Amino acid sequence: MLKTANIKSNLISLLLAILSLLCYVSFAYGLERTDTFKLLTLYTALFFLFYKLIQLLKHNLTLLTWLVFGFRAIFILAIPNLSQDFYRFIWDGRMILEGLNPYLFTPESFIGKGEFPIIQAQELYNSMGTLNGSHFTNYPPLNQLCFVIAGVFAGKSILGSVVVMRLLIITADFGTLIYGKKLLEKLKLPTYHIFWYLLNPFIIIELTGNLHFEGIMIFFLIWSLYLLHISKWKWSAVILAFTISVKLIPLLFLPVYYVWFRKQNVIAISNVRKKQPVQKDKIATLQAPLNNINKMSRLLGFYSIVTIILLISFLPFYSSEFIVHFTETTTLWFTSFEFNASIYYIIRAIGYWFVDFNIITYYGWFIAFLIPLVILYITYKRQHKTKTSDLIITMLFVLSLYYFTATTVHPWYIATLLILSIFTRYKFALVWSFVVMLSYAAYSKSNYAENLWLVGLEYIVIYGVFIYEVLLKKPIKL
């Protein structure tokens, strides 16, 4: 009877895997971004199949691993169909190989003069879109290295460059699998939880399919957290610097590291007590100064390593113009760009009601000032939480707050929330990875236009799940 049940379960799993494969092939090679109905239908089917596969195979990690990389392999020869950013990636990499600093020139500055500094310059410029072509790049140095590698191995082929970059992201996913499983084991959590991230169609489509380098950033982030958990904090700082040098968003996490170092100081004091016995009346006198000194020295050492490594990575591109251009481009994400926002859209509507113009500039600067203060407040309120899992939860809350208030929330941004959430009891990021695809309805017409009803539906679901899990649901007692 048991053997029959296993055969039936295996047949169902095989059927689900085949259906998933067919959906991924259709998504990769037969989908236009403007076909919103097909996009959402395929994605809904893939998400359902992904959920059922994990339910059925959560005790068969080997098979799940084969599916993770098998589904990614489907996209190897596919040109990304939901994002144009990869054309700019190729442009930047080829610029560096030509000896030109990509931070100092916009593609438009060359094409407007009839200059073609790289191979396929006109084709890349036409395909990357006006937004990419008219602004200075703000992709950090380690991300630029990935673009250079694509240029080295496929400097004359757009498809070849796509394949190289895709292989880099898939390789990073393999690293995330290794260190994600290790960290889950250390935290005494089920190791199959890593597949809520790796097998998720959102991750496969947005990172592997559309070549967003959050996949490499996340690999470094999880590696860094694992090293931190096993008390190799110096190496953790080095890897965290690599994380920031791929994407700047982990800068938001720097204040919360005090939580972990506070725990380490307590351990250090315990060791002092064991190795150097002192009179009981002197313990209280020695404890506070030693704790503070240890805390500050390790914390400052951690931040110093991160800062030094990060500065070294930027050094090859340094110039006064670079600082101006990089700062201006980064600022645009707060004060000019808007997409798939929630709280900002409500405040924008109120602004139009009262002053009859878009208040994004004022809102952007206000949020840029407010978010760091709120992060410090969250860190202070959670300072009694001293486990690695608590550090990850704080990171999850900090990044969620940022995206809730941001003016721009592209779908692939949610990847970092998703990976953090698998080490916690919270599922709102998993839900968000499903409903965020509604934002692609903005491209359903030739002229970009967001459907605010769908944006509203997305955030009603997200805020509903978030409020239930964080404020209403009783904590699980371990």
Side-chain angles (χ1 to χ4, degrees):
M1 193 73 177
L2 183 60
K3 186 176 180 180
T4 304
N6 288 336
I7 293 174
K8 182 179 178 181
S9 176
N10 290 336
L11 287 174
I12 293 174
S13 299
L14 178 62
L15 176 62
L16 295 178
I18 292 172
L19 289 174
S20 296
L21 186 148
L22 294 174
C23 287
Y24 277 123
V25 169
S26 180
F27 208 108
Y29 299 97
L31 176 68
E32 296 289 335
R33 184 169 66 172
T34 53
D35 192 346
T36 303
F37 178 78
K38 183 176 181 180
L39 188 158
L40 295 179
T41 301
L42 279 175
Y43 187 73
T44 300
L46 283 168
F47 208 90
F48 171 77
L49 293 168
F50 141 76
Y51 185 83
K52 296 303 294 182
L53 279 169
I54 292 185
Q55 273 192 329
L56 290 170
L57 299 174
K58 63 184 179 181
H59 300 300
N60 191 342
L61 302 189
T62 301
L63 183 52
L64 284 175
T65 301
W66 277 104
L67 291 177
V68 162
F69 294 101
F71 292 157
R72 281 162 169 75
I74 294 169
F75 286 84
I76 289 293
L77 298 177
I79 294 293
N81 52 12
L82 298 183
S83 174
Q84 302 164 300
D85 291 350
F86 71 97
Y87 291 109
R88 181 59 186 269
F89 302 163
I90 297 171
W91 177 285
D92 281 5
R94 293 182 183 180
M95 284 278 287
I96 294 173
L97 289 174
E98 291 294 331
L100 298 169
N101 189 336
Y103 295 103
L104 303 185
F105 309 95
T106 65
E108 190 176 74
S109 67
F110 289 104
I111 303 300
K113 297 176 183 178
E115 299 176 1
F116 306 96
I118 59 174
I119 296 173
Q120 298 175 301
Q122 187 69 59
E123 183 179 353
L124 290 170
Y125 175 75
N126 292 341
S127 300
M128 71 176 64
T130 304
L131 190 63
N132 272 311
S134 61
H135 291 95
F136 294 99
T137 189
N138 69 335
Y139 300 109
L142 201 54
N143 206 350
Q144 294 285 350
L145 177 61
C146 298
F147 309 158
V148 170
I149 293 172
V152 169
F153 289 98
K156 297 181 180 180
S157 168
I158 290 176
L159 177 58
S161 297
V162 166
V163 171
V164 173
M165 289 190 287
R166 188 163 283 140
L167 290 174
L168 290 174
I169 293 171
I170 292 173
T171 302
D173 285 338
F174 186 73
T176 302
L177 172 64
I178 292 172
Y179 286 103
K181 286 173 66 176
K182 285 184 176 182
L183 187 54
L184 285 166
E185 289 169 358
K186 291 290 185 181
L187 298 177
K188 294 180 173 54
L189 294 170
T191 52
Y192 79 87
H193 281 190
I194 192 65
F195 295 99
W196 289 118
Y197 170 82
L198 286 171
L199 197 60
N200 195 314
F202 166 73
I203 298 299
I204 295 172
I205 290 167
E206 287 293 356
L207 306 192
T208 304
N210 292 308
L211 297 181
H212 294 299
F213 281 81
E214 273 73 8
I216 294 180
M217 178 202 74
I218 284 168
F219 158 59
F220 285 128
L221 178 62
I222 298 306
W223 187 8
S224 177
L225 286 170
Y226 172 74
L227 290 171
L228 197 65
H229 183 77
I230 61 175
S231 298
K232 294 184 178 180
W233 63 270
K234 294 177 183 177
W235 282 110
S236 175
V238 172
I239 303 303
L240 181 62
F242 293 167
T243 307
I244 299 169
S245 194
V246 178
K247 294 285 183 177
L248 295 179
I249 198 68
L251 285 170
L252 291 172
F253 300 147
L254 289 179
V256 308
Y257 276 88
Y258 168 70
V259 173
W260 187 86
F261 283 95
R262 181 175 183 273
K263 176 195 73 171
Q264 293 301 300
N265 296 328
V266 172
I267 294 173
I269 290 170
S270 299
N271 292 336
V272 168
R273 285 177 176 170
K274 291 177 182 178
K275 295 177 181 179
Q276 300 177 3
V278 295
Q279 297 177 12
K280 291 182 179 180
D281 59 342
K282 291 184 179 180
I283 289 178
T285 304
L286 291 173
Q287 180 174 346
L290 182 59
N291 191 32
N292 289 333
I293 292 171
N294 189 53
K295 174 175 62 180
M296 291 304 297
S297 64
R298 291 192 178 206
L299 190 61
L300 291 176
F302 183 86
Y303 288 152
S304 296
I305 293 171
V306 171
T307 303
I308 291 169
I309 298 295
L310 196 56
L311 290 176
I312 290 173
S313 73
F314 276 99
L315 198 58
F317 304 100
Y318 175 76
S319 73
S320 57
E321 289 180 275
F322 156 72
I323 295 175
V324 172
H325 294 162
F326 194 81
T327 303
E328 286 180 351
T329 306
T330 303
T331 302
L332 288 174
W333 291 101
F334 295 96
T335 60
S336 296
F337 300 151
E338 50 186 37
F339 178 79
N340 192 37
S342 58
I343 292 174
Y344 161 67
Y345 280 170
I346 296 172
I347 294 177
R348 183 184 68 175
I350 295 171
Y352 275 123
W353 180 270
F354 285 100
V355 294
D356 198 28
F357 69 87
N358 193 334
I359 62 170
I360 185 171
T361 300
Y362 301 101
Y363 177 87
W365 283 113
F366 174 73
I367 291 299
F369 174 76
L370 178 65
I371 290 297
L373 295 179
V374 176
I375 290 172
L376 291 173
Y377 176 75
I378 292 174
T379 303
Y380 170 76
K381 291 295 289 183
R382 292 183 58 82
Q383 64 180 322
H384 62 287
K385 305 289 187 179
T386 57
K387 297 179 181 178
T388 304
S389 56
D390 296 316
L391 172 66
I392 295 173
I393 291 173
T394 305
M395 288 178 168
L396 180 66
F397 287 167
V398 163
L399 193 57
S400 298
L401 171 70
Y402 173 70
Y403 288 146
F404 288 158
T405 57
T407 61
T408 303
V409 184
H410 288 299
W412 53 92
Y413 292 2
I414 309 306
T416 312
L417 287 179
L418 182 61
I419 190 65
L420 292 173
S421 71
I422 70 168
F423 301 98
T424 75
R425 67 181 178 89
Y426 300 108
K427 302 296 186 292
F428 68 88
L430 180 63
V431 175
W432 203 347
S433 72
F434 173 62
V435 297
V436 73
M437 300 302 279
L438 291 171
S439 64
Y440 279 112
Y443 302 100
S444 60
K445 299 178 182 178
S446 56
N447 294 326
Y448 163 84
E450 283 193 275
N451 185 327
L452 295 183
W453 289 106
L454 290 180
V455 173
L457 174 61
E458 173 191 345
Y459 282 103
I460 286 172
V461 172
I462 295 308
Y463 283 126
V465 177
F466 181 84
I467 290 170
Y468 169 72
E469 287 195 317
V470 177
L471 302 179
L472 302 181
K473 190 176 181 180
K474 292 183 179 178
I476 299 173
K477 293 183 178 180
L478 300 179

